Amino acid sequence: EVQLVESGGGLVQPGGSLRLSCAASGFTVSTNYMSWVRQAPGKGLEWVSTIYSGGPTYYADSVKGRFTISRHNSNNTVYLQMNSLRTEDTALYYCARDIGYSGYDWGYWGQGTLVTVSS
Amino acid sequence: IQMTQSPSSLSASVGDRVTVTCRASQTISHNLNWYQQKAGKAPKLLIYGASSLQGGVPSRFSGSGSGTDFTLTISSLQPEDFATYYCQQTYGSPRDITFGQGTRLEIK
Protein backbone atom coordinates (compact mmCIF):
# COMPACT_ATOMS: atom_id res chain seq x y z
CA GLU A 1 0.00 0.00 0.00
CA VAL A 2 1.29 3.44 -0.97
CA GLN A 3 1.71 5.76 1.99
CA LEU A 4 3.13 9.26 2.27
CA VAL A 5 3.81 10.85 5.64
CA GLU A 6 4.91 14.47 5.84
CA SER A 7 6.68 16.06 8.78
CA GLY A 8 8.78 19.09 9.62
CA GLY A 9 6.21 21.85 9.60
CA GLY A 10 5.96 24.46 12.30
CA LEU A 11 6.11 28.13 13.16
CA VAL A 12 9.00 30.12 11.72
CA GLN A 13 9.79 33.81 11.48
CA PRO A 14 9.93 35.62 8.15
CA GLY A 15 13.33 35.10 6.58
CA GLY A 16 13.77 31.79 8.36
CA SER A 17 14.21 28.26 7.05
CA LEU A 18 12.45 24.94 7.42
CA ARG A 19 12.92 21.48 5.93
CA LEU A 20 9.92 19.33 5.22
CA SER A 21 10.16 15.56 4.88
CA CYS A 22 7.92 13.10 3.07
CA ALA A 23 8.52 9.50 4.08
CA ALA A 24 7.23 7.08 1.47
CA SER A 25 6.33 3.43 1.76
CA GLY A 26 4.87 0.89 -0.62
CA PHE A 27 6.91 2.16 -3.56
CA THR A 28 10.29 3.68 -4.39
CA VAL A 29 10.51 7.48 -4.64
CA SER A 30 13.33 7.32 -7.16
CA THR A 31 11.10 5.62 -9.74
CA ASN A 32 8.25 8.13 -9.57
CA TYR A 33 7.63 11.84 -10.03
CA MET A 34 7.27 13.31 -6.55
CA SER A 35 5.74 16.71 -5.89
CA TRP A 36 4.90 19.22 -3.20
CA VAL A 37 1.56 21.02 -3.36
CA ARG A 38 0.44 23.63 -0.85
CA GLN A 39 -2.80 25.14 0.29
CA ALA A 40 -2.96 28.43 2.19
CA PRO A 41 -5.62 28.55 4.92
CA GLY A 42 -9.05 28.75 3.31
CA LYS A 43 -7.56 28.98 -0.18
CA GLY A 44 -7.07 26.76 -3.22
CA LEU A 45 -4.31 24.41 -4.28
CA GLU A 46 -0.93 25.57 -5.56
CA TRP A 47 1.79 23.43 -7.13
CA VAL A 48 5.17 24.09 -5.51
CA SER A 49 7.79 21.72 -6.89
CA THR A 50 8.43 18.38 -8.58
CA ILE A 51 11.39 16.05 -8.77
CA TYR A 52 11.47 13.67 -11.70
CA SER A 53 12.50 10.05 -11.45
CA GLY A 54 15.53 10.88 -13.56
CA GLY A 55 16.53 13.67 -11.21
CA PRO A 56 15.51 17.03 -12.79
CA THR A 57 13.71 19.42 -10.49
CA TYR A 58 11.16 22.13 -11.21
CA TYR A 59 9.63 24.95 -9.19
CA ALA A 60 6.77 27.37 -9.24
CA ASP A 61 7.91 30.93 -9.88
CA SER A 62 6.69 31.91 -6.40
CA VAL A 63 9.31 29.71 -4.72
CA LYS A 64 12.08 29.47 -7.29
CA GLY A 65 15.45 30.34 -5.82
CA ARG A 66 14.19 29.89 -2.25
CA PHE A 67 12.97 26.27 -2.12
CA THR A 68 14.88 23.11 -3.03
CA ILE A 69 13.37 19.69 -3.57
CA SER A 70 15.50 16.59 -3.13
CA ARG A 71 15.22 12.92 -2.32
CA HIS A 72 17.20 10.39 -0.35
CA ASN A 73 16.90 6.99 -1.92
CA SER A 74 18.31 5.06 1.02
CA ASN A 75 15.49 6.13 3.33
CA ASN A 76 12.90 6.56 0.56
CA THR A 77 12.19 10.16 1.56
CA VAL A 78 11.57 13.36 -0.35
CA TYR A 79 12.50 16.73 1.13
CA LEU A 80 11.60 20.34 0.62
CA GLN A 81 14.17 22.79 1.94
CA MET A 82 12.51 26.16 2.35
CA ASN A 83 14.69 29.26 2.82
CA SER A 84 13.94 32.97 3.00
CA LEU A 85 10.40 32.19 4.08
CA ARG A 86 7.70 34.80 3.65
CA THR A 87 4.34 35.22 5.31
CA GLU A 88 2.70 34.22 2.03
CA ASP A 89 4.36 30.80 2.30
CA THR A 90 2.03 29.98 5.20
CA ALA A 91 0.14 26.89 4.10
CA LEU A 92 -0.53 23.21 4.53
CA TYR A 93 2.12 21.44 2.48
CA TYR A 94 1.21 18.14 0.86
CA CYS A 95 3.54 15.56 -0.61
CA ALA A 96 2.06 13.83 -3.66
CA ARG A 97 2.91 11.01 -6.05
CA ASP A 98 1.75 10.66 -9.63
CA ILE A 99 -0.18 7.73 -11.03
CA GLY A 100 2.18 7.27 -13.96
CA TYR A 101 0.21 9.15 -16.66
CA SER A 102 1.71 12.62 -17.07
CA GLY A 103 3.78 12.88 -13.91
CA TYR A 104 1.49 15.52 -12.49
CA ASP A 105 -1.60 13.42 -11.92
CA TRP A 106 -1.52 13.09 -8.16
CA GLY A 107 -3.31 9.98 -7.13
CA TYR A 108 -1.48 9.60 -3.82
CA TRP A 109 -1.27 12.26 -1.13
CA GLY A 110 0.01 12.57 2.39
CA GLN A 111 -1.95 14.18 5.20
CA GLY A 112 -0.03 17.43 4.97
CA THR A 113 2.21 19.38 7.31
CA LEU A 114 1.42 22.94 8.35
CA VAL A 115 3.93 25.73 7.87
CA THR A 116 3.22 29.05 9.55
CA VAL A 117 5.45 32.02 8.78
CA SER A 118 4.85 34.79 11.28
CA SER A 119 6.71 37.13 13.58
CA ILE B 1 -1.91 29.17 -18.01
CA GLN B 2 -4.93 30.45 -16.10
CA MET B 3 -7.75 28.11 -15.17
CA THR B 4 -11.21 29.47 -14.42
CA GLN B 5 -13.91 27.34 -12.87
CA SER B 6 -17.60 28.06 -12.82
CA PRO B 7 -19.59 28.32 -10.76
CA SER B 8 -17.52 29.13 -7.68
CA SER B 9 -20.22 27.58 -5.53
CA LEU B 10 -23.24 25.47 -6.20
CA SER B 11 -26.16 24.22 -4.15
CA ALA B 12 -27.75 20.94 -5.18
CA SER B 13 -29.79 18.07 -3.82
CA VAL B 14 -29.10 14.37 -3.53
CA GLY B 15 -29.97 12.77 -6.83
CA ASP B 16 -29.34 15.90 -8.91
CA ARG B 17 -27.17 15.92 -12.00
CA VAL B 18 -24.41 18.48 -11.56
CA THR B 19 -21.93 19.99 -13.99
CA VAL B 20 -18.82 22.01 -13.16
CA THR B 21 -17.00 23.87 -15.90
CA CYS B 22 -13.31 24.67 -16.25
CA ARG B 23 -11.88 26.99 -18.89
CA ALA B 24 -8.21 27.39 -19.77
CA SER B 25 -6.67 30.65 -20.92
CA GLN B 26 -5.06 28.79 -23.85
CA THR B 27 -5.43 25.40 -25.41
CA ILE B 28 -4.28 22.56 -23.16
CA SER B 29 -5.31 19.60 -25.33
CA HIS B 30 -6.55 16.87 -22.97
CA ASN B 31 -4.13 17.72 -20.15
CA LEU B 32 -6.74 18.33 -17.49
CA ASN B 33 -7.40 16.62 -14.16
CA TRP B 34 -10.20 16.90 -11.62
CA TYR B 35 -9.84 16.56 -7.86
CA GLN B 36 -12.32 16.36 -5.01
CA GLN B 37 -11.40 17.76 -1.61
CA LYS B 38 -13.39 17.32 1.55
CA ALA B 39 -12.88 19.51 4.59
CA GLY B 40 -9.69 18.68 6.46
CA LYS B 41 -8.64 16.06 3.93
CA ALA B 42 -6.13 15.80 1.13
CA PRO B 43 -7.42 16.13 -2.43
CA LYS B 44 -8.52 13.00 -4.25
CA LEU B 45 -7.89 12.46 -7.96
CA LEU B 46 -11.15 11.76 -9.79
CA ILE B 47 -10.43 12.23 -13.49
CA TYR B 48 -7.15 12.44 -15.42
CA GLY B 49 -6.48 13.16 -19.06
CA ALA B 50 -9.80 15.05 -19.19
CA SER B 51 -11.96 11.93 -19.30
CA SER B 52 -10.24 8.92 -17.73
CA LEU B 53 -11.73 7.77 -14.46
CA GLN B 54 -9.19 7.14 -11.73
CA GLY B 55 -9.37 3.66 -10.20
CA GLY B 56 -11.89 3.28 -7.40
CA VAL B 57 -13.84 6.41 -8.34
CA PRO B 58 -17.59 5.80 -8.80
CA SER B 59 -18.87 5.80 -12.37
CA ARG B 60 -21.32 8.62 -11.62
CA PHE B 61 -18.32 10.92 -12.09
CA SER B 62 -17.32 11.73 -15.66
CA GLY B 63 -15.16 14.28 -17.44
CA SER B 64 -15.20 15.66 -20.92
CA GLY B 65 -13.70 18.37 -23.07
CA SER B 66 -10.54 19.30 -24.90
CA GLY B 67 -8.73 22.43 -25.95
CA THR B 68 -9.91 25.14 -23.60
CA ASP B 69 -13.27 23.98 -22.25
CA PHE B 70 -13.86 21.08 -19.87
CA THR B 71 -16.63 19.73 -17.70
CA LEU B 72 -16.95 17.49 -14.68
CA THR B 73 -20.35 15.84 -14.38
CA ILE B 74 -21.82 14.00 -11.44
CA SER B 75 -24.78 12.08 -12.80
CA SER B 76 -26.65 11.55 -9.53
CA LEU B 77 -25.37 13.35 -6.46
CA GLN B 78 -24.76 11.27 -3.38
CA PRO B 79 -24.36 12.64 0.18
CA GLU B 80 -20.63 11.92 0.13
CA ASP B 81 -20.14 14.08 -2.99
CA PHE B 82 -20.58 17.38 -1.20
CA ALA B 83 -17.08 18.81 -1.31
CA THR B 84 -14.89 21.26 -3.21
CA TYR B 85 -13.80 20.37 -6.73
CA TYR B 86 -10.66 21.60 -8.48
CA CYS B 87 -9.51 21.35 -12.06
CA GLN B 88 -5.77 21.26 -12.81
CA GLN B 89 -3.90 21.69 -16.08
CA THR B 90 -0.68 19.81 -16.73
CA TYR B 91 -0.11 21.02 -20.29
CA GLY B 92 2.31 23.66 -19.04
CA SER B 93 4.60 21.11 -17.43
CA PRO B 94 7.24 21.05 -16.21
CA ARG B 95 7.14 24.61 -14.87
CA ASP B 96 3.55 25.77 -15.19
CA ILE B 97 1.06 23.60 -13.34
CA THR B 98 -2.06 25.44 -12.27
CA PHE B 99 -5.39 24.78 -10.61
CA GLY B 100 -8.75 26.41 -10.94
CA GLN B 101 -9.97 28.36 -7.95
CA GLY B 102 -12.33 25.57 -6.89
CA THR B 103 -16.08 24.93 -6.93
CA ARG B 104 -17.76 24.37 -3.60
CA LEU B 105 -20.68 21.98 -3.88
CA GLU B 106 -23.14 22.38 -1.04
CA ILE B 107 -26.31 20.67 0.03
CA LYS B 108 -29.49 22.51 -0.91
Side-chain angles (χ1 to χ4, degrees):
Chain A
E1 180 189 6
V2 171
Q3 284 197 330
L4 299 168
V5 179
E6 301 97 333
S7 61
L11 175 63
V12 61
Q13 292 187 337
S17 298
L18 214 53
R19 188 179 81 157
L20 307 183
S21 299
C22 171
S25 59
F27 73 101
T28 304
V29 296
S30 61
T31 61
N32 289 270
Y33 287 26
M34 297 297 299
S35 299
W36 289 93
V37 179
R38 69 184 181 184
Q39 187 168 35
K43 302 297 183 182
L45 300 167
E46 180 187 18
W47 169 71
V48 174
S49 180
T50 297
I51 182 166
Y52 281 18
S53 52
T57 58
Y58 299 95
Y59 303 90
D61 287 344
S62 58
V63 306
K64 194 171 184 179
R66 301 187 298 122
F67 289 13
T68 303
I69 190 171
S70 63
R71 68 182 180 222
H72 205 272
N73 296 341
S74 62
N75 61 8
N76 213 32
T77 299
V78 177
Y79 301 97
L80 186 68
Q81 177 66 43
M82 305 186 296
N83 298 331
S84 302
L85 282 161
R86 306 167 179 168
T87 55
E88 56 264 36
D89 295 319
T90 294
L92 185 62
Y93 284 73
Y94 292 104
C95 174
R97 199 208 94 172
D98 74 302
I99 61 170
Y101 180 68
S102 78
Y104 294 87
D105 315 286
W106 298 308
Y108 304 94
W109 296 71
Q111 82 288 351
T113 187
L114 182 62
V115 173
T116 303
V117 185
S118 174
S119 55
Chain B
I1 301 173
Q2 305 299 318
M3 306 301 294
T4 304
Q5 288 181 233
S6 61
S8 294
S9 64
L10 173 62
S11 294
S13 302
V14 173
D16 284 354
R17 180 182 180 90
V18 168
T19 297
V20 179
T21 298
C22 182
R23 175 164 288 176
S25 60
Q26 66 177 73
T27 183
I28 59 170
S29 186
H30 291 84
N31 300 102
L32 190 284
N33 302 327
W34 289 98
Y35 295 85
Q36 175 195 66
Q37 187 178 33
K38 297 181 180 180
K41 300 294 186 182
K44 175 185 178 181
L45 179 65
L46 299 176
I47 302 286
Y48 64 95
S51 60
S52 296
L53 193 68
Q54 169 67 344
V57 174
S59 59
R60 63 180 179 274
F61 291 92
S62 63
S64 64
S66 66
T68 60
D69 295 311
F70 302 85
T71 58
L72 171 70
T73 299
I74 309 172
S75 60
S76 179
L77 270 176
Q78 298 302 299
E80 60 268 30
D81 300 337
F82 292 95
T84 299
Y85 293 84
Y86 294 93
C87 64
Q88 173 214 10
Q89 67 81 18
T90 63
Y91 183 84
S93 66
R95 294 180 177 85
D96 181 19
I97 306 297
T98 48
F99 290 88
Q101 80 279 13
T103 294
R104 184 174 180 180
L105 179 53
E106 301 174 319
I107 301 173
K108 184 181 287 185

Coordinates of all heavy atoms in Angstrom, one line a residue, chain A residues 27-34 52-55 71-73 76 78:
Chain A
F27 N 6.3 1.9 -2.2 CA 6.9 2.2 -3.6 C 8.3 2.8 -3.4 O 8.6 3.2 -2.2 CB 6.0 3.0 -4.4 CG 5.9 4.5 -4.0 CD1 6.7 5.4 -4.7 CD2 5.2 4.9 -2.9 CE1 6.6 6.8 -4.3 CE2 5.1 6.2 -2.5 CZ 5.9 7.1 -3.2
T28 N 9.0 3.1 -4.5 CA 10.3 3.7 -4.4 C 10.2 5.1 -5.0 O 9.8 5.3 -6.1 CB 11.3 2.8 -5.2 OG1 11.3 1.5 -4.7 CG2 12.7 3.4 -5.1
V29 N 10.6 6.1 -4.2 CA 10.5 7.5 -4.6 C 11.4 7.8 -5.9 O 11.0 8.6 -6.7 CB 10.9 8.5 -3.5 CG1 9.9 8.4 -2.4 CG2 12.3 8.3 -3.0
S30 N 12.4 7.0 -6.0 CA 13.3 7.3 -7.2 C 12.8 6.9 -8.5 O 13.3 7.2 -9.6 CB 14.7 6.6 -6.9 OG 14.5 5.2 -6.9
T31 N 11.7 6.1 -8.5 CA 11.1 5.6 -9.7 C 9.8 6.3 -10.1 O 9.1 6.0 -11.0 CB 10.8 4.1 -9.7 OG1 9.9 3.8 -8.6 CG2 12.1 3.3 -9.5
N32 N 9.5 7.4 -9.3 CA 8.3 8.1 -9.6 C 8.5 9.6 -9.6 O 9.5 10.1 -9.1 CB 7.2 7.8 -8.5 CG 6.6 6.4 -8.6 OD1 5.6 6.2 -9.3 ND2 7.3 5.5 -8.0
Y33 N 7.6 10.4 -10.2 CA 7.6 11.8 -10.0 C 7.0 12.2 -8.7 O 5.9 11.8 -8.4 CB 6.8 12.5 -11.1 CG 7.3 12.5 -12.5 CD1 8.2 11.5 -12.9 CD2 7.0 13.4 -13.4 CE1 8.7 11.5 -14.2 CE2 7.4 13.4 -14.7 CZ 8.3 12.5 -15.1 OH 8.8 12.4 -16.4
M34 N 7.7 12.9 -7.9 CA 7.3 13.3 -6.6 C 7.1 14.8 -6.5 O 8.0 15.6 -7.0 CB 8.2 12.8 -5.5 CG 8.4 11.3 -5.4 SD 6.9 10.5 -5.0 CE 6.5 11.2 -3.3
Y52 N 11.7 14.8 -10.8 CA 11.5 13.7 -11.7 C 12.2 12.4 -11.3 O 13.3 12.5 -10.6 CB 11.9 14.1 -13.1 CG 10.9 14.9 -13.9 CD1 9.9 15.6 -13.2 CD2 11.0 15.1 -15.2 CE1 9.0 16.5 -13.9 CE2 10.2 15.9 -16.0 CZ 9.2 16.6 -15.3 OH 8.3 17.4 -16.0
S53 N 11.8 11.3 -11.8 CA 12.5 10.0 -11.5 C 13.9 10.1 -11.9 O 14.8 9.6 -11.3 CB 11.8 8.9 -12.1 OG 11.5 9.1 -13.5
G54 N 14.2 10.8 -13.0 CA 15.5 10.9 -13.6 C 16.4 11.9 -12.9 O 17.6 12.0 -13.1
G55 N 15.8 12.7 -12.0 CA 16.5 13.7 -11.2 C 16.2 15.1 -11.4 O 16.4 15.9 -10.5
R71 N 15.7 14.2 -2.8 CA 15.2 12.9 -2.3 C 16.4 12.1 -1.8 O 17.6 12.4 -2.3 CB 14.5 12.1 -3.4 CG 15.3 11.7 -4.5 CD 14.6 10.9 -5.6 NE 15.5 10.5 -6.7 CZ 15.2 10.6 -8.0 NH1 14.0 11.1 -8.4 NH2 16.0 10.2 -8.9
H72 N 16.2 11.2 -0.9 CA 17.2 10.4 -0.4 C 16.7 9.0 -0.6 O 15.8 8.5 0.1 CB 17.4 10.7 1.1 CG 18.8 10.3 1.6 ND1 19.1 9.1 2.1 CD2 19.9 11.1 1.7 CE1 20.3 9.0 2.5 NE2 20.9 10.2 2.2
N73 N 17.4 8.3 -1.5 CA 16.9 7.0 -1.9 C 17.0 6.0 -0.8 O 16.2 5.0 -0.7 CB 17.6 6.5 -3.2 CG 17.3 7.4 -4.4 OD1 16.4 8.1 -4.4 ND2 18.2 7.3 -5.4
N76 N 14.1 6.4 1.3 CA 12.9 6.6 0.6 C 12.1 7.8 1.0 O 10.9 7.7 1.2 CB 12.0 5.3 0.7 CG 11.2 5.0 -0.5 OD1 11.7 5.3 -1.7 ND2 10.1 4.4 -0.4
V78 N 11.5 12.1 0.4 CA 11.6 13.4 -0.4 C 11.6 14.6 0.6 O 10.9 14.6 1.6 CB 10.4 13.5 -1.4 CG1 10.5 14.8 -2.1 CG2 10.4 12.3 -2.3

